[in-house]
Amino acid sequence: MTVKYLRSSGLLVAALVAGCAPVNQPLYHWGDYQQTIYQYHQNGVTDYAAQVGRVEALLNQAQAQGKSVPPGLHAHLGMLYFNTGREIEAREQFAMEKSLFPESGHFVDYVLKAQPEHNQ
């Protein structure tokens, strides 16, 4: 009976300790990225400078919190940089996207091939 009681007590303690474990944190810092993407794709919205500012702010927030940004964010910023004539920075963002998320390589290569070859 004592062995059975000790096992039951041990299982109960283990369950309680496991219940107190921290909740899983999100893998990426999303911030308002989804709203930013939504606004980017609205018809007639071409304020790329404002979009750049929002995405850059999101990157800064993630860095300040020591968190990673989601896949596609660097590519999105790269496209915005191309739209505002900042080709060198655009290519840097695309390189960062490929570095962090190798599965994005085909998309990034496709976008880069579609760009004029001014600063390659």
Side-chain angles (χ1 to χ4, degrees), residues 24-41:
N24 290 339
Q25 296 295 318
L27 185 57
Y28 302 111
H29 174 75
W30 290 89
D32 67 346
Y33 184 53
Q34 292 173 330
Q35 180 65 26
T36 301
I37 290 289
Y38 177 77
Q39 288 180 348
Y40 177 78
H41 291 289

Side-chain angles (χ1 to χ4, degrees), residues 12-83:
L12 179 61
V13 169
L16 289 173
V17 170
C20 295
V23 178
N24 290 339
Q25 296 295 318
L27 185 57
Y28 302 111
H29 174 75
W30 290 89
D32 67 346
Y33 184 53
Q34 292 173 330
Q35 180 65 26
T36 301
I37 290 289
Y38 177 77
Q39 288 180 348
Y40 177 78
H41 291 289
Q42 291 298 300
N43 291 332
V45 175
T46 56
D47 188 357
Y48 298 124
Q51 290 284 316
V52 166
R54 289 182 73 177
V55 176
E56 287 175 337
L58 182 63
L59 275 170
N60 291 334
Q61 290 170 359
Q63 286 177 341
Q65 296 176 16
K67 296 183 178 179
S68 300
V69 294
L73 188 132
H74 288 284
H76 181 78
L77 184 56
M79 291 173 69
L80 291 169
Y81 281 157
F82 271 129
N83 289 334

